């Protein structure tokens, strides 16, 4: 039996790795006559030396506008490759929990595609790897998209 992926979730954060994962998600969706759900999750708390604190509402509003633009950029890319079954999602809360559990359940996702790492080493240490969390908790298949530029330089 051949696996078909009809509902593909990909997270975007503005990184090259996330956009590479999105582009590959479009091609997987095209082969399966599926839909790409492109999601940006806004964490309304930030970590400082005293723990977690809420983010100012103006910053959340600014991040929401940035997220809308990233989603529009993804849809524009879809038009350039003649693929328009792309849905945008802006979610609020834990990036890891949203990508691994909440969004897959809500949108009946059968494949999650994530970039290998959109963070630097310090950010990964502070927040933990979203990709590794998604692998452990997702209710569906997960595909990690490696950084092609990094591979070609090795």
């Amino acid at each position: 039996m051949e696996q078909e992926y009809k509902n593909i979730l990909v997270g975007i954060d503005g990184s090259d790795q996330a956009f590479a994962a999105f582009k590959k998600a479009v091609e997987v969706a095209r082969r399966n006559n599926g839909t790409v759900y492109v999601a940006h999750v806004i964490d309304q708390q930030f970590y400082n030396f005293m723990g977690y604190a809420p983010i100012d509402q103006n910053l959340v509003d600014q991040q929401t506008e940035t997220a809308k633009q990233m989603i529009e950029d993804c849809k524009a890319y879809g038009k350039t490759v003649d693929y328009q079954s792309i849905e945008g999602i802006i979610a609020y809360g834990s990036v890891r929990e949203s990508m691994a559990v909440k969004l897959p359940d809500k949108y009946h996702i059968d494949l999650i595609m994530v970039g290998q790492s959109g963070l630097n080493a310090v950010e990964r240490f502070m927040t933990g790897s979203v990709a590794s969390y998604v692998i452990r908790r997702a209710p569906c298949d997960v595909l990690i998209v490696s950084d092609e530029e990094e591979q070609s330089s090795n």
Side-chain angles (χ1 to χ4, degrees):
M1 182 172 85
E2 187 174 312
Q3 174 68 48
E4 285 190 355
Y5 297 111
K6 295 291 187 184
N7 298 311
I8 301 164
L9 176 65
V10 60
I12 55 169
D13 60 4
S15 69
D16 292 341
Q17 295 90 344
F19 193 67
F22 164 73
K23 291 194 295 188
K24 287 189 178 184
V26 167
E27 295 312 314
V28 172
R30 182 192 311 276
R31 287 192 298 271
N32 290 277
N33 294 317
T35 300
V36 176
Y37 292 87
V38 58
H40 181 81
V41 182
I42 298 170
D43 194 340
Q44 294 174 289
Q45 296 189 356
F46 71 94
Y47 185 80
N48 63 28
F49 68 92
M50 294 175 50
Y52 286 93
I55 292 179
D56 178 81
Q57 186 60 44
N58 289 333
L59 185 55
V60 171
D61 293 344
Q62 186 178 13
Q63 289 179 342
T64 300
E65 289 306 311
T66 301
K68 288 177 183 176
Q69 186 57 55
M70 282 191 280
I71 290 168
E72 287 307 311
D73 291 347
C74 288
K75 289 181 176 182
Y77 169 81
K79 287 180 182 175
T80 68
V81 295
D82 197 30
Y83 195 81
Q84 296 184 23
S85 188
I86 300 168
E87 299 292 333
I89 301 168
I90 298 175
Y92 299 89
S94 163
V95 176
R96 296 181 333 162
E97 194 67 21
S98 295
M99 289 300 297
V101 179
K102 292 179 180 178
L103 296 177
D105 286 346
K106 183 174 183 177
Y107 294 96
H108 308 289
I109 300 300
D110 43 35
L111 177 65
I112 301 171
M113 296 179 68
V114 292
Q116 194 166 25
S117 176
L119 305 174
N120 65 41
V122 174
E123 289 170 321
R124 274 194 305 275
F125 175 76
M126 297 300 285
T127 64
S129 168
V130 172
S132 63
Y133 187 85
V134 169
I135 290 167
R136 289 191 312 272
R137 297 283 316 273
C140 60
D141 290 347
V142 178
L143 178 65
I144 305 299
V145 177
S146 63
D147 186 348
E148 292 174 355
E149 287 181 20
E150 190 173 293
Q151 282 184 344
S152 65
S153 66
N154 290 336

